[in-house]
């Protein structure tokens, strides 16, 4: 029996309207941060940034070649990961450890460092007991900021390859990828740190703790002994969503009341996840000189979002397996969900967190119905199409280039995107970037099933889905989980760590090379014979390509998991 | 070239580790402690001067004269896992033995939450416990209903979130209504009922 969840639909509509209303102002701000000669915020941030660049010893106006840009990105990310790894291995003997967290084992520390530097935020540990306050701050919060800044920087560089070459007043003239440090530092000083400060203050006002006092052991109202784990939660929680990171301060992530105490924080966290990914797409539209190019992409993404959400809301109205018991299921499948969010507040969060690269959860996905759990899994298999700082614009633009190429083949014209011919080189690089994802997921899952079957926390099809989900989330750099999987084994820590590294650091350079190759091309303006990508028809073709490519690639493996469980 | 890149990366790592990893969280600790210290410390609730929990975090209640919260713990059981079905049927049996008048138990009372420490239950899940609590404590059903209504929170702006009752706050308010004499009588009744309920659950779980 499918009930219509009106409250859920109204909530979703309000959230989408708010995000769309924020798209132009925030997107315009993003344009000013990376691409304008000057902005009215220069007086506020300029002196601080100039001091920073002096200390760092970099010249932010120096133009980098694509190779140099990639090299600097990899070098900085590598160094940060190593520093974090060393801190995690030694956290017990470092200061700010009031909860007595022990040193991390090497396999788990490797997994954690790679997880957070890649913006994935997969966690095989429970933060409240296994991380010191220092680690929560200088490992987790630190990498949440810098991995998001790396993603934004890559996104900005990527956009430059496609940007219109018309001389427009106020825009910086750049003949190259730009400067990695300029993009990276400004992502932090002008975007992430100020926004995180605002969101943190809202969260504190709603009751998210922010303290250095240690865990509190107390007697409950009925006299049982219990412990409240606290710490610097709000400062982590804000950047966790703005940076589409997703790693929880607590093992139960945003389901735990201290991370997400009220329906207000739930909505704030959802909007925080969506605002930068969509604004980045809008900025892309401004830079290519036609914002309709961006609105078509945003429209297509919102259609996917709404369809996935509708399937999810319908699937979670009840759990058929409990229908013979004397249970009133009018509130829906509440196993693993919080009363304050209900099914709709949980499902909107879940679709948001998996269609962006975030991966935080406010309910336990493992306890969703088979089809309800298929929704986040499918979004991971589509490589979290809103992406955000996980992979900048890269994952949606992979689909765009493939869609233009396929549409071009179908009508028998040379495929062209934004006036640039798509030729063999770009198609090869894009296909390679596209294929990395299913190879990592399917290969990893096969290996996991053979070598780590004991880690599955549920029997049958559902256990298989747990393993599949783990490699899908790692490859998509998302980080959400079917958390019944016992993920803290050396095999899973190492293989998932490597999957996360390949998912990010193979895709990034490939797509920057694509962008660089587009930058070298001659631009031919639209004429009557061009297949236009700024029309809604293209939006439909794009959705079709995303769905067909996703279904062709993953349908067989889904039969072994959620589809098998649903049909049983 | 590479050497200067390496130095830049090193310095950037150190500078932003300090800025994002220390200055940002510590600045917020400072602001939060000044702006709203009780919230920053975890929204603690006290009874007779001692901390009994947090207004935000749920805790288990086993005494039948208290409103019961959701089953604690997080299992990550899949929807068709036999362990889930066995656990829910056991919880149903327990709730029915505590509250014999109900035919269908609301799902939130018999399933684990996402956090394992859900502070809330649905208002109907609180209301159905009133006859039992009234019998045990001698507080009239009217007074208890008013108490539940008083602690019911509605969705924000009418749509965000679900109607809910904070179980710990409700029980603390309930406790404050009990005089030492009624408390003793209530405790005796409750112990007897609890023994019956756990018997019933034990019988039921052997049956399944």
């Amino acid at each position: 029996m499918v009930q219509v969840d009106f409250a859920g639909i109204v909530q979703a509509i309000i959230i989408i309207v708010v995000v769309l209303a924020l798209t132009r102002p925030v997107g315009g701000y993003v344009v000013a941060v990376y691409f304008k000669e000057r902005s009215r915020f220069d007086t506020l941030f300029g002196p601080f940034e100039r001091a920073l660049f002096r200390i760092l010893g970099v010249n932010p106006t120096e133009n980098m070649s694509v190779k140099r840009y990639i090299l600097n990105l990899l070098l900085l990310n590598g160094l940060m990961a190593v520093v974090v790894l060393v801190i995690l291995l030694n956290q017990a003997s470092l200061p700010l450890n009031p909860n007595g967290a022990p040193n991390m084992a090497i396999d788990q520390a490797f997994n954690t460092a790679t997880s957070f530097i890649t913006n994935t935020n997969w966690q095989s540990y429970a933060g409240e007991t296994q991380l010191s306050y220092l680690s929560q701050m200088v490992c987790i919060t630190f990498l949440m900021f810098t991995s998001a800044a790396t993603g934004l920087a890559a996104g900005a560089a990527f956009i430059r390859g496609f940007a219109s070459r018309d001389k427009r007043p106020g825009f910086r003239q750049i003949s190259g990828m730009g400067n990695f440090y300029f993009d990276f530092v400004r992502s932090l000083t002008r975007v992430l740190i100020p926004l995180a400060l605002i969101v943190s203050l809202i969260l504190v006002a709603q009751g998210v703790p922010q303290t250095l006092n240690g865990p509190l052991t107390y007697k409950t109202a009925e006299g049982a002994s219990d412990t409240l784990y606290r710490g610097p939660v709000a400062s982590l929680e804000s950047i966790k969503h703005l940076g589409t990171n997703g790693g929880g301060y607590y093992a139960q992530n945003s389901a735990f009341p201290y991370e997400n105490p009220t329906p207000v924080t739930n909505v704030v966290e959802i909007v925080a996840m969506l605002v930068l990914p969509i604004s980045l797409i809008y900025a892309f539209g401004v830079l290519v000189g036609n914002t309709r190019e961006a609105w078509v992409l945003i429209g297509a993404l919102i259609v996917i979002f709404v369809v996935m959400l509708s399937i999810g809301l319908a699937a979670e109205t009840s759990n058929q397996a409990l229908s013979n018991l004397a249970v009133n299921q009018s509130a829906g499948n509440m196993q693993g969900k919080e009363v304050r969010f209900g099914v709709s507040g949980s499902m909107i969060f879940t679709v948001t967190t998996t269609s962006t690269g975030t991966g935080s959860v406010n309910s336990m996905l493992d306890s969703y119905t088979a089809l309800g759990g298929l929704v986040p899994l499918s979004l991971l298999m589509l490589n979290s199409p809103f992406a955000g700082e996980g992979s900048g614009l890269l994952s949606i633009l992979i689909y765009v280039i493939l869609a233009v190429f396929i549409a071009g083949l179908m009508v028998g014209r040379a495929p062209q995107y934004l006036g640039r011919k798509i030729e063999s080189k770009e198609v090869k690089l894009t296909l390679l970037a596209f294929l990395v994802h299913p190879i990592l997921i399917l290969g990893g899952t096969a290996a996991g099933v053979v070598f780590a079957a004991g880690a599955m926390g549920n029997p049958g099809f559902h256990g298989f889905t747990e393993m599949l989900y783990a490699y899908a989330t790692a490859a998509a750099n998302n980080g959400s989980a079917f958390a019944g999987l016992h993920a803290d084994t050396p095999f899973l820590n190492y293989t998932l760590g490597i999957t996360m590294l390949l998912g990010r650091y193979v895709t990034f350079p490939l797509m920057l090379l694509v962008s660089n190759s587009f930058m070298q091309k001659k631009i031919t303006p639209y004429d009557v014979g061009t297949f236009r990508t700024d029309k809604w028809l293209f939006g439909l073709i794009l959705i079709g390509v995303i769905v067909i490519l996703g279904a062709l690639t993953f349908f067989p493996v889904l039969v072994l998991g959620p589809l098998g469980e649903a049909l049983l | 070239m590479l050497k200067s890149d390496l130095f830049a990366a090193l310095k950037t790592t150190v500078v932003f580790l300090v800025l994002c990893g220390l200055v940002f969280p510590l600045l917020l600790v400072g602001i939060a402690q000044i702006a709203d210290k009780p919230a920053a410390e975890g929204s603690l609730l006290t009874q007779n001067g001692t901390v009994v929990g947090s207004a935000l975090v749920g805790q288990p209640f086993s005494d039948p004269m208290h409103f019961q919260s959701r089953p604690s713990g997080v299992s990550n059981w899949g929807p068709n896992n036999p362990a889930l079905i066995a656990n829910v049927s056991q919880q149903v049996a327990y709730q029915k033995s505590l509250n014999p008048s109900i035919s269908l138990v609301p799902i939130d009372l018999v399933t684990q939450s996402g956090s394992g420490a859900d502070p809330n239950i649905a208002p109907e899940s609180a209301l159905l416990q009133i006859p039992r609590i009234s019998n045990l404590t001698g507080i009239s059903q009217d007074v208890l209903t008013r108490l539940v209504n008083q602690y019911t929170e509605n969705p924000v702006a009418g749509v965000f979130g679900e109607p809910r009752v904070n179980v710990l706050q409700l029980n603390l308010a309930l406790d404050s209504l009990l005089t030492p004499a009624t408390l003793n009588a209530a405790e005796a009744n409750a112990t007897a009922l609890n023994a019956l309920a756990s018997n019933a659950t034990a019988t039921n779980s052997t049956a399944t």
Side-chain angles (χ1 to χ4, degrees), chain A residues 401-411 415 545 549:
Chain A
I401 291 169
L402 292 178
V404 170
F405 180 66
I406 291 168
L409 288 184
M410 287 193 298
V411 296
V545 165
L549 286 178

Side-chain angles (χ1 to χ4, degrees), chain B residues 84-102:
Chain B
L84 168 75
I85 296 158
N87 190 271
V88 173
S89 25
Q90 199 177 335
Q91 295 290 341
V92 168
Y94 179 65
Q95 288 301 332
K96 286 192 132 190
S97 63
L98 280 183
N99 311 290
S101 58
I102 54 171

